[in-house]
Structures are given as C-alpha cells and as structure tokens.
C-alpha cells in the first residue's frame, strides 16, 4: 500500500470556537482583511464573533464584503487592492465557498503583486499570506481544502486557481448555519455529497481518503432522511457540517471527478448553483461505471439497496428544469474533453459519446 496524506489546517469544531480560541488570530497576524459575501455573514453571527475575537486580542481589520457567488477574478483583484492599501498581513474568509475561496485567492494575490487575472493560470507555484476560514454553509469543505475555484470571464468558465492554499485554521461553528434557507441547505448538502462520491470513486482515492468518504456516507444516511422530511434540527446541522468537512478532507487528497468538471458549464452558462450542477449529473455518472464494486459499498453504507433508490432521493431534492439544447450539450462536452487532465481522476475510459450521454440523460427530458 502506498499513499500520501496532507491536511495541514488546524480545525476548531464546536460551539463558540471563534471566541474560545481568539488568541489564534493574534498568533497569525496583526491586521486582517475580512472577506465576506454581501449580506449573510452580518446576519448569522459569524462576522460579529470574528470582530469581537479580533478586538479582544488587539488585531486590526478591514472588511471587503463584495464577494458574489462563484467569485470572479475581477473581484479577487479588487479585494487585493483593499488588502494592499491597508497593509494587511492575513485574510479571514467568512461565508460559503465563494467568500472562503475568494479569501484564499486574495491572500495569494496580495503576496504576489505581479499576478493578475490574465497571468494567474500560467504562473508556477506561488505562496500566499495566511488564511483563516469560517464556513457558514455545509457543503464546499473549502475551509479544509487547498482549492480556490474562481470564475474566469475571459475563458467563460470556472476554474481551480491551480495553487495550494490550505487555511491555517478553520473555525467551524454550526450555529452560523441554523438559519440557512432550505434551498441553500439542499444545494450545499448535495455539493458535500458529490465530493464524497467523486472522491470515493476517484483514481486518487486511498485507504486514508476512503475513511473520510465512508464516514461521510454514514452521516448522509441520516442527513438525506432529514433533508427529505425538511427537519433541519441542530443535530442535522451538525451532521451535515461534519459530512461536508469529511468531503473536504477527502477531496483535498483525491480531487473531484466528472460531475464537478462537467457541472462548471451548467453554472457558468445556465446559472445553476454549484451543488445542483454536480448533483444533477451524479446518477448518470454513477450509471456509467462498468465496475460497480465501490458504488455497491457506498449504497450499502447509505442504507440503500440500489442506484434507483439514490436516484429517487436526489430527484426529490433537486427540483430544477434547465433549458438546454443538443447543440449546447455538444459544445459543453467538446469543451470538457479538451482538457484531458479532467479525465485523469475517473478510473474508466470515457469518450465523447459517454460525456454526451451523461449530460443528455441528466438534462433532457424525453
Ligand atoms: P456561496 O456561493 O458561498 O453562497 C451561496 C448563498 O448562500 C449566498 O447568497 C450567501 O449569501 C448565502 N449564505 C451563505 N451562508 C449563509 C447563511 N449562514 N445563512 C443564509 N445565507 C447564507 O455558496 P457555497 O455553495 O457555499 O459555495 C459555492 C462556491 O464554492 C462555488 O464557487 C464553488 O465552485 C466553490 N467550491 C469550492 C470548493 C473548494 O474546495 N474550495 C469546493 C466546492 C465548491 P451572501 O453572499 O450574502 O454571503
Ligand atoms: Zn463542489
């Protein structure tokens, strides 16, 4: 057996972890750029907790609260300007995956003034100033991954920056998610589930990463039932957050696979939220496997007897109709296959027809 395992983020999980561990902030830096979305962090208590922790430990801060969903490189450049002007020495991302990923990218752009939206994807490996992450959705696991996914309008898609930016610390307090609306709870939970699935069925999966995958499926056995019954109690919130963290640690080792790569076009061109863009493709992706050994094991842990039962769960949670033509499906498939690196994570041979079939069977009703 051979594997590599890396997860350098210090995780603080539990009630009031931001305030209970406030000295972590002052140990990391003297002045922070706080990066958030436009509204939610100010409402769910996360921004107030971080501000209080910083004030009580003498850390200065400035706020950049303009991160949109699926953050663009233009937003990253704007955040960098504010950080530079204020001479911050670390970045705190508070929110869903969008502000956390933006915080990572901004931290990297601050450290490397020569980098901009036009040359980032051809830059070699770069360092960043330190990042702290405070998740307020249970889905992306970005607080424990090295990835930062950004929108590049020039290339008309979303892309991982291609750098390694693990947060130094992740403060995970599920109370910030208590008022997450049902639809965002579903979308983000499905993202977490798709990380677990794609990490588990990945060429990069190892003994270590599978531990997280299997624990995540066990948590999802409970979470799916609660999601379907719309019973989002604190126990559910805790378990879905844990599942999201499991998925994050797992994909930090393995990467994601076909649904994530194929879903980016659905988000960019059709505006589908990230989790749904993957989730809508998941069943057809699973059906495409010739060797179903690991899929059987996954279903077994989920307490399901066949793929049809999983399809019924996902179909009842994913309620979207998207307008898409055969030409668009052809275009997305061509684009997806143009980058061969995206296929390396899938353990079986797939061709143009297979990709078309996954899109078509998932998206076109006949
Ligand atoms: P998001 O885009 O960060 O946020 C979606 C919406 O949820 C926003 O309107 C946000 O409002 C709101 N929101 C966040 N927390 C809330 C709360 N506690 N209560 C009420 N509303 C809340 O969604 P996400 O699904 O978490 O992140 C998606 C992004 O993460 C995508 O760009 C995706 O590509 C990326 N991603 C990254 C990784 C990784 O490893 N780095 C993995 C998977 C996905 P505000 O804008 O007002 O905050
Ligand atoms: Zn994802």
């Amino acid at each position: 057996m051979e594997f590599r395992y890396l997860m350098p983020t210090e995780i603080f999980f539990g009630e009031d972890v931001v305030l209970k561990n406030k000295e972590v902030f002052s140990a990391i830096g003297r002045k922070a750029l706080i990066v958030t979305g436009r509204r939610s962090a100010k409402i769910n208590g996360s921004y107030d907790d971080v501000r209080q922790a910083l004030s009580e430990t003498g850390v200065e801060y400035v706020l950049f609260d303009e991160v949109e969903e699926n953050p663009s490189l233009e937003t990253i450049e704007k955040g960098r300007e504010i950080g530079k002007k204020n001479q911050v020495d670390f970045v705190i991302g508070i929110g869903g995956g969008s502000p956390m990923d933006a915080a990572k990218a901004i931290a990297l752009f601050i450290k490397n003034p020569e980098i901009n939206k036009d040359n980032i994807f051809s830059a070699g490996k770069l360092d960043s100033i330190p990042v702290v992450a405070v998740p307020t959705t249970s889905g992306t696991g970005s607080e424990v991954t090295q990835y930062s996914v950004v929108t590049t309008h020039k290339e008309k898609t979303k892309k991982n920056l291609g750098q390694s930016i693990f947060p130094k610390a992740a403060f995970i307090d599920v109370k910030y998610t208590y008022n997450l609306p049902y639809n965002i709870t579903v979308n983000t939970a499905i993202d977490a589930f798709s990380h677990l699935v794609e990490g588990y069925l990945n060429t990069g999966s190892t003994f270590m990463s599978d531990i997280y995958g299997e624990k995540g499926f066990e948590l999802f056995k409970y979470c799916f039932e609660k999601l379907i019954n719309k019973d989002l109690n604190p126990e559910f919130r805790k378990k879905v957050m844990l599942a999201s963290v499991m998925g994050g640690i797992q994909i930090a080792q393995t990467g994601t696979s076909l649904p994530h790569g194929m879903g980016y076009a659905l988000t960019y061109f059709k505006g589908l939220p990230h989790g749904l863009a993957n989730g809508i493709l998941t069943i057809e992706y699973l059906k495409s496997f010739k060797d179903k050994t690991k899929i059987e094991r996954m279903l077994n842990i989920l307490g399901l007897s066949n793929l049809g039962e999983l399809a019924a769960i996902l179909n009842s949670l994913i309620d979207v109709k998207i307008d898409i033509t055969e030409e668009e499906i052809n275009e997305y498939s061509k684009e997806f296959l143009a980058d061969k690196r995206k296929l390396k994570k899938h353990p079986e041979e797939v061709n143009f027809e297979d990709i078309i079939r996954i899109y078509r069977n998932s998206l076109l009703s006949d």
Side-chain angles (χ1 to χ4, degrees):
M1 186 190 294
E2 206 178 313
F3 61 79
R4 270 175 65 178
Y5 175 84
L6 178 67
M7 221 306 287
T9 304
E10 187 167 13
I11 301 174
F12 298 86
F13 189 100
E15 208 178 329
D16 300 328
V17 281
V18 167
L19 290 167
K20 283 181 186 160
N21 302 283
K22 58 190 177 192
E23 69 289 344
V24 172
F25 294 98
S26 47
I28 292 177
R30 281 177 296 122
K31 187 165 187 180
L33 177 70
I34 300 181
V35 175
T36 70
R38 296 203 172 90
R39 285 184 68 239
S40 68
K42 297 189 196 87
I43 298 168
N44 61 38
S46 52
Y47 177 55
D48 285 343
D49 281 357
V50 168
R51 276 200 309 177
Q52 191 181 333
L54 297 180
S55 308
E56 288 177 7
T57 52
V59 178
E60 290 182 77
Y61 60 87
V62 280
L63 173 66
F64 176 58
D65 61 358
E66 295 176 35
V67 179
E68 73 277 36
E69 292 181 36
N70 309 298
S72 67
L73 284 167
E74 286 75 9
T75 300
I76 305 308
E77 288 190 345
K78 196 165 176 192
R80 184 244 301 267
E81 288 321 305
I82 292 169
K84 272 252 162 255
K85 203 171 83 200
N86 289 280
Q87 298 183 312
V88 303
D89 56 8
F90 72 116
V91 182
I92 304 172
I94 308 176
S98 298
M100 288 192 287
D101 282 9
K104 293 176 185 176
I106 291 169
L108 185 120
F109 274 46
I110 289 176
K111 177 84 175 185
N112 302 278
E114 73 287 0
I115 291 300
N116 57 48
K117 65 178 176 356
D118 298 316
N119 64 14
I120 176 64
F121 295 115
S122 53
K125 289 289 170 208
L126 302 167
D127 282 337
S128 74
I129 61 172
V131 175
V132 173
V134 184
T136 68
T137 62
S138 300
T140 70
S142 176
E143 67 279 6
V144 291
T145 75
Q146 67 275 51
Y147 310 121
S148 166
V149 182
V150 295
T151 296
T152 153
H153 290 304
K154 193 163 123 192
E155 298 183 43
K156 291 196 170 14
T157 189
K158 292 176 58 179
K159 256 174 128 170
N160 178 19
L161 272 196
Q163 301 288 340
S164 179
I165 320 164
F166 277 105
K168 260 200 149 10
F171 291 99
I172 308 172
D173 186 340
V174 289
K175 72 169 183 265
Y176 304 141
T177 68
Y178 283 174
N179 292 320
L180 200 60
Y182 181 72
N183 67 328
I184 304 180
T185 304
V186 168
N187 300 351
T188 47
I190 289 177
D191 189 26
F193 181 67
S194 65
H195 296 161
L196 293 163
V197 174
E198 291 172 47
Y200 196 59
L201 303 174
N202 198 292
T203 50
S205 76
T206 65
F207 176 83
M208 286 298 280
S209 68
D210 282 356
I211 291 174
Y212 294 93
E214 292 181 0
K215 193 72 202 169
F217 296 137
E218 198 182 304
L219 289 160
F220 256 98
K221 183 178 176 180
Y222 171 94
C223 293
F224 274 144
E225 194 189 317
K226 293 287 171 186
L227 279 169
I228 286 169
N229 295 330
K230 301 196 173 168
D231 181 11
L232 311 183
N233 60 25
E235 188 60 16
F236 163 81
R237 294 291 187 191
K238 184 182 81 188
K239 288 200 162 131
V240 75
M241 183 62 96
L242 283 169
S244 163
V245 174
M246 298 293 106
I249 297 175
Q250 185 192 25
I251 60 165
Q253 317 307 315
T254 62
T256 52
S257 188
L258 302 185
H260 265 70
M262 295 171 67
Y264 287 152
L266 302 178
T267 298
Y268 192 86
F269 293 107
K270 301 292 174 186
L272 218 54
H274 173 70
L276 296 190
N278 314 318
I280 205 167
L281 302 168
T282 294
I283 292 298
E284 291 299 323
Y285 153 72
L286 292 173
K287 280 190 192 161
S288 80
F289 276 80
K290 292 181 188 73
D291 178 356
K292 297 212 167 37
T293 317
K294 268 186 119 176
I295 297 180
E296 298 293 343
R297 206 178 311 150
M298 169 186 90
L299 290 170
N300 188 32
I301 303 170
L302 285 165
L304 303 172
S305 33
N306 54 53
L307 216 43
E309 289 183 8
L310 180 62
I313 292 174
L314 291 178
N315 288 338
S316 73
L317 295 173
I318 300 175
D319 181 22
V320 283
K321 274 261 160 297
I322 60 172
D323 249 339
I324 192 163
T325 63
E326 292 277 0
E327 291 70 45
E328 286 172 320
I329 287 178
N330 266 313
E331 209 41 56
Y332 300 171
S333 302
K334 249 190 264 155
E335 199 57 44
F336 174 72
L337 284 171
D339 185 352
K340 295 283 175 250
R341 282 173 311 180
K342 291 182 179 164
L343 297 177
K344 277 210 330 236
K345 299 290 181 178
H346 187 60
E348 298 181 357
E349 195 78 32
V350 283
N351 58 30
F352 187 62
E353 284 312 313
D354 297 320
I355 298 300
I356 294 260
R357 191 177 326 107
I358 294 175
Y359 272 129
R360 189 184 285 147
N361 291 352
S362 306
L363 304 174
L364 295 178
S365 45
D366 35 28

